Amino acid sequence: MGCEHRNGYICGTATVTMEMATARDRLVDSLVATEVVTKSSTAEALRAVPRHEFVGDDQQDLAYQDRPLPIGNDQTISAPHIVGQMLDLINVERGDRVLEIGTGCGYHAAVTAEVVGDGNVYSVEYDEELGAAARERLERLGYDVAVRIGDGREGWPEEAPFDASYLTCAAAEPPTEVIDQTAADGVVVGPFGEGRQELKRLVVQPDGGYEAETIAPVRFVPMR
Ligand code: SAH
């Protein structure tokens, strides 16, 4: 990865890494300034994760623009503001255990792991190829995130209960198993609805039901 500067010098990987970090900081600064991200732990997590490592070589230059990007197999990595907003909404801290439905490239899981720490993020991915690639990538980048290939509708019963859960693909209704596997007073965040989707924040009640709050209209890939 080399680039040619105005002065004609070829710069190496270290310079590129620094330029990426500067671009990343700028993006996070703008998410904080516009109050899309309100928790400092969320901002720090977004600053820490090299999003460019999660996208293809041809997408590197776009990694720090606030937009979704293709990750192959017809799937996309969410825009950074969505990842930040969802992390704010699940309201977790170090040591909390989190269930993610839809690993994709692993970026969102890595950002969550920055907050809750090693061994506390459990992610289910439907697509075998994407799941395997994400598992490898997360490990290479030093994230201890557990990835299971399977249908996220089933959650991850062996690892339940979770302090919070979120979905990165849109379900018509919140999946019952995911609600059941989230502890009372825990939060489930995700895009729900067919056709028109809304990002919702559900708070699980002691009786196993939930109270729902609608956050915003959104567009996510549908759950498979
Ligand atoms: N958080 C991801 C975004 C992934 S896009 C990231 O940071 O890259 C949504 C993902 O949900 C896709 O990878 C898709 O394959 C996955 N998905 C769709 N239906 C699913 C299901 N039933 N169970 C688990 N994952 C599913």
Side-chain angles (χ1 to χ4, degrees), residues 71-194:
I71 54 171
N73 298 19
D74 285 334
Q75 303 302 313
T76 55
I77 175 176
S78 302
H81 75 268
I82 288 278
V83 174
Q85 193 178 19
M86 288 176 72
L87 184 53
D88 264 10
L89 286 169
I90 60 171
N91 200 24
V92 288
E93 53 190 47
R94 189 149 295 266
D96 283 343
R97 289 158 50 82
V98 181
L99 172 66
E100 175 186 74
I101 308 302
T103 318
C105 67
Y107 172 72
H108 197 153
V111 176
T112 304
E114 285 285 343
V115 174
V116 297
D118 280 349
N120 289 321
V121 179
Y122 295 84
S123 185
V124 186
E125 170 56 51
Y126 187 83
D127 185 306
E128 206 171 325
E129 214 173 84
L130 286 176
R135 189 185 282 144
E136 225 179 86
R137 179 181 300 115
L138 286 162
E139 196 181 317
R140 173 168 58 79
L141 295 171
Y143 290 101
D144 181 3
V145 167
V147 178
R148 180 171 82 77
I149 312 294
D151 187 350
R153 281 181 191 81
E154 291 157 17
W156 197 326
E158 297 81 3
E159 296 295 344
F162 299 96
D163 297 295
S165 306
Y166 63 90
L167 293 86
T168 70
C169 46
E173 296 286 338
T176 311
E177 304 291 323
V178 173
I179 305 288
D180 288 351
Q181 291 169 26
T182 307
D185 297 326
V187 172
V188 179
V189 169
F192 302 112
E194 277 167 313

